[in-house]
Amino acid sequence: MGFKEFVSERSIDALVQREPSDLKAQLSSIEGVLGLMEEGPKKAKLNSKRLQLLEAIKRQSAAVMAGSRHQS
């Protein structure tokens, strides 16, 4: 794993600790801004953040599903 991947992974791990509603609100805001931006490095960076948020939400959902299976 390279440095960029390591930093990205740490960022996603930190995001997973946040409230799901906060992540979804931030994702919605970013998607709205992305729709208005022209292609370029700022849009690419913002899209990277969007992908991190999506991954964090996916991991939260997986953790919830795993937890509900263990309780059954």
Side-chain angles (χ1 to χ4, degrees):
M1 175 184 320
F3 182 73
K4 280 187 173 184
E5 292 84 7
F6 173 76
V7 171
S8 178
E9 217 30 60
R10 293 282 307 238
S11 180
I12 292 168
D13 289 345
L15 288 170
V16 169
Q17 303 303 316
R18 295 176 54 190
E19 289 293 320
S21 59
D22 291 344
L23 295 178
K24 290 176 183 174
Q26 190 175 1
L27 179 63
S28 178
S29 175
I30 286 174
E31 287 176 338
V33 172
L34 279 173
L36 301 173
M37 292 179 80
E38 293 192 22
E39 293 299 323
K42 287 185 179 180
K43 186 171 184 174
K45 187 172 183 171
L46 198 56
N47 190 51
S48 175
K49 180 68 175 181
R50 182 183 74 86
L51 294 174
Q52 288 179 348
L53 285 166
L54 286 170
E55 180 63 24
I57 290 168
K58 183 172 120 183
R59 289 183 188 184
Q60 282 182 337
S61 296
V64 167
M65 294 300 285
S68 66
R69 276 191 233 131
H70 291 294
Q71 290 176 352
S72 300

